[in-house]
Amino acid sequence: MLERLSNLRHAGRMLAALPREARFPFRPRAEIEARRDARLRETIRLACRAVPYYRERMAALGLTPEEFRSIDDLARLPVTPIDDLRDAPREFLSARVNPDRCQLLRSGGTTGNEKWVWHDPASLLMNVAFSERQEFVIARFVGHRLRQRQLVINSTSSVSSTVRAAYRRRLALLRPLGPRRVRIGIMEPFMDQVAALNRLRPEVLITNGLFIGDFYERLQRAGLAPHRPRVIVAGAETLPADQRRRIEHDFGVPVIMTYQSTESLKIGFECEYRRGYHLHEDLCVVRLLDADGRPVPPGAVGRIHITNLVNRATVLLNFDQGDTGRFLDEPCPCGRTLRRLELVGSRQWPLLRALDGRTLHGADVIRPVKEHTAVTRVQILVERPDLWRVLYTDPRNETTAAWRRDTARRLERAVAGPGITVRLEQRDQLETTPAGKHSPVLIRCPQLPPYATPVVPRPSSSSS
């Protein structure tokens, strides 16, 4: 009962904020910066007094909350490495929240090295209101705001699916006011996904970047021309530029991207001009730093570090996001005053192919392996289209041959499908790419079908 009352209170606050948040990206810079810095000061106070990781470090550096007045003062704090969050997630959890009443998001399905991040109920539900900033953009393409027909194609194990499930549970009374949304799994057969697109005729298609690029390439190779949504909203992994051009040019469907993560549910969004991400500056501070942790010069590419200004459960300051980008300082034609970011480097892991024609996400293989508490990292090696070797690390040597056998059979039946053999192998270290980098998915047979991708010529402008 208490949780229900709390959800109702937060939902009321969220509803009241909807019109204000839709207009916020157009507010004067002074107003945006004032809200940003006020939230930063509040976050620093919380970190110093109630978050073990930052309380210890600030005390060691002799820092007090009063020394932090604006985002420039974040330079006083060292960078928070990704591994620190992975190794000790509860060190970042505020003592002022009950984690059992928060939403736990577990990411790392695409990297095989999981991170735990708790989001408090208030910030989780306010994220719906903050979404109005991009919903305003989507409505420009659709032509109306309410009761849009939406098709979601995503992995059921993805973070976005977990967040949407939390919204359905916590905002059940408001569902009649929301979009008319239908979901289909990324692992469903390709022709079933095409049939859903034609049957539902959505105005908005919501999915992740890698999947949608692959999906439209397959449509083009098959000579199919399904229903065209008025807009595609793609998040998670970055959509390769050539695939995006093909979707927009050959199929005539505009694509707008979102930038978010488990650590911050709102980082940036594209407007109707699609010239970089407008940053949610009052929700998440983005800093671009060099290898020594210093801000890069204007226009230079730097490693993205974020500070979440709204989550009061897992608190993160100067967190290394693992992506790279550059700030765009010229004004955007849309009139929004939020600062813009060009994402230069982001996650682009290969998709997996089943022999029955399905496209699979690496997370759908990695998560079942990670269910064993002793497993720390997972990697998929596709040696042949019909042989997947799943490597994993187990520092405590708690996994058994029986568990490996049973998990492999489970993956063959529930994920890989007929004709594919899955082998689980315990390793001290995972393998690297020829460039020496770690990737959760390595395709060793890119020249063989179904991994070999025929080159599809783009029609000339005169034939379009």
Side-chain angles (χ1 to χ4, degrees):
M1 176 62 73
L2 289 176
E3 183 178 1
R4 184 176 300 176
L5 291 174
S6 176
N7 286 339
L8 287 174
R9 183 174 69 255
H10 296 321
R13 180 182 167 206
M14 178 267 292
L15 287 172
L18 290 176
R20 180 176 69 249
E21 292 302 328
R23 296 189 297 267
F24 184 77
F26 299 93
R27 303 302 300 169
R29 285 296 306 169
E31 183 177 331
I32 291 172
E33 292 170 4
R35 184 195 280 194
R36 176 200 67 197
D37 291 344
R39 284 178 171 162
L40 174 64
R41 292 191 290 270
E42 181 181 353
T43 301
I44 292 290
R45 286 194 296 269
L46 176 65
C48 183
R49 295 165 182 168
V51 181
Y53 183 91
Y54 294 109
R55 184 174 58 220
E56 295 172 6
R57 281 156 179 76
M58 291 178 72
L61 293 169
L63 296 174
T64 64
E66 291 71 29
E67 295 177 68
F68 293 81
R69 306 305 301 168
S70 72
I71 62 170
D72 293 335
D73 296 318
L74 283 170
R76 298 170 179 266
L77 291 172
V79 165
T80 301
I82 295 174
D83 286 344
D84 283 8
L85 176 62
R86 287 171 174 156
D87 295 341
R90 291 185 179 273
E91 289 292 298
F92 295 86
L93 184 61
S94 168
R96 297 181 181 177
V97 301
N98 179 354
D100 293 335
R101 299 184 66 179
C102 298
Q103 180 63 51
L104 172 60
L105 300 181
R106 299 166 58 176
S107 75
T110 56
T111 64
N113 199 354
E114 199 166 58
K115 295 169 289 184
W116 288 20
V117 177
W118 287 266
H119 288 261
D120 71 278
S123 68
L124 184 73
L125 294 188
M126 278 303 292
N127 187 62
V128 177
F130 301 145
S131 296
E132 282 297 295
R133 301 174 183 188
Q134 189 168 46
E135 293 296 333
F136 184 88
V137 178
I138 295 171
R140 297 287 295 270
F141 290 99
V142 175
H144 60 92
R145 174 66 184 84
L146 299 176
R147 303 297 289 161
Q148 295 172 355
R149 297 190 309 277
Q150 298 183 354
L151 174 63
V152 179
I153 306 179
N154 217 332
S155 168
T156 56
S157 60
S158 69
V159 170
S160 60
S161 294
T162 302
V163 172
R164 290 193 179 98
Y167 291 153
R168 291 195 297 273
R169 184 177 70 254
R170 295 174 182 267
L171 299 174
L173 294 176
L174 301 180
R175 288 178 64 182
L177 302 178
R180 292 172 288 178
R181 181 173 289 165
V182 176
R183 297 166 181 82
I184 184 170
I186 198 174
M187 289 199 304
E188 296 299 318
F190 171 67
M191 290 308 299
D192 287 359
Q193 295 165 342
V194 176
L197 191 59
N198 286 328
R199 181 176 66 254
L200 300 170
R201 302 184 65 79
E203 297 166 300
V204 184
L205 175 58
I206 301 173
T207 185
N208 75 55
L210 279 182
F211 169 80
I212 199 60
D214 176 79
F215 180 77
Y216 273 88
E217 280 198 354
R218 297 182 70 181
L219 287 174
Q220 196 160 41
R221 292 198 300 271
L224 298 175
H227 166 75
R228 294 192 305 179
R230 296 185 182 177
V231 66
I232 294 171
V233 181
E237 294 89 347
T238 300
L239 174 64
D242 61 330
Q243 292 183 334
R244 181 174 186 167
R245 285 191 295 268
R246 184 169 295 166
I247 295 171
E248 297 193 336
H249 179 275
D250 298 354
F251 288 88
V253 183
V255 180
I256 57 175
M257 303 291 294
T258 63
Y259 185 30
Q260 69 277 319
S261 68
T262 309
E263 298 78 28
S264 181
L265 298 180
K266 289 284 183 291
I267 299 177
F269 67 98
E270 288 188 326
C271 70
E272 51 270 35
Y273 287 91
R274 312 196 288 290
R275 299 179 184 175
Y277 293 94
H278 291 271
L279 295 173
H280 297 280
E281 296 180 66
D282 60 318
L283 312 179
C284 176
V285 173
V286 171
R287 302 178 70 222
L288 302 182
L289 307 180
D290 62 20
D292 297 321
R294 296 173 300 199
V296 300
V301 174
R303 195 168 173 94
I304 295 173
H305 293 72
I306 65 169
T307 296
N308 191 324
L309 300 180
V310 292
N311 185 13
R312 295 296 176 248
T314 293
V315 177
L316 295 168
L317 311 174
N318 282 344
F319 178 76
D320 185 351
Q321 188 68 20
D323 302 326
T324 57
R326 65 165 60 89
F327 289 128
L328 303 174
D329 291 329
E330 65 272 14
C332 183
C334 72
R336 291 173 178 83
T337 55
L338 296 172
R339 198 171 191 187
R340 286 185 298 142
L341 174 77
E342 178 188 0
L343 196 58
V344 175
S346 186
R347 298 169 296 169
Q348 292 190 29
W349 313 128
L351 293 168
L352 298 168
R353 309 279 193 181
L355 298 182
D356 57 12
R358 291 174 299 129
T359 296
L360 310 176
H361 199 290
D364 295 306
V365 176
I366 290 171
R367 282 203 181 277
V369 182
K370 285 281 291 180
E371 288 176 2
H372 196 297
T373 56
V375 173
T376 55
R377 301 193 70 183
V378 184
Q379 183 180 53
I380 307 161
L381 302 184
V382 180
E383 298 289 356
R384 303 191 309 264
D386 62 346
L387 174 60
W388 297 357
R389 294 169 55 219
V390 180
L391 313 183
Y392 69 91
T393 55
D394 171 11
R396 302 196 299 265
N397 289 313
E398 294 182 6
T399 53
T400 64
W403 174 82
R404 286 191 288 273
R405 182 181 61 250
D406 293 344
T407 304
R409 299 296 84 78
R410 175 183 170 194
L411 289 171
E412 288 174 353
R413 292 192 303 270
V415 182
I420 295 178
T421 298
V422 177
R423 296 178 185 169
L424 260 68
E425 304 174 17
Q426 182 178 344
R427 292 286 191 87
D428 292 333
Q429 291 184 336
L430 302 184
E431 299 195 15
T432 60
T433 66
K437 296 183 178 181
H438 287 276
S439 172
V441 179
L442 290 177
I443 308 297
R444 295 279 176 78
C445 53
Q447 75 284 1
L448 296 177
Y451 290 97
T453 302
V455 177
V456 181
R458 292 179 58 189
S460 64
S461 59
S462 60
S463 62
S464 60

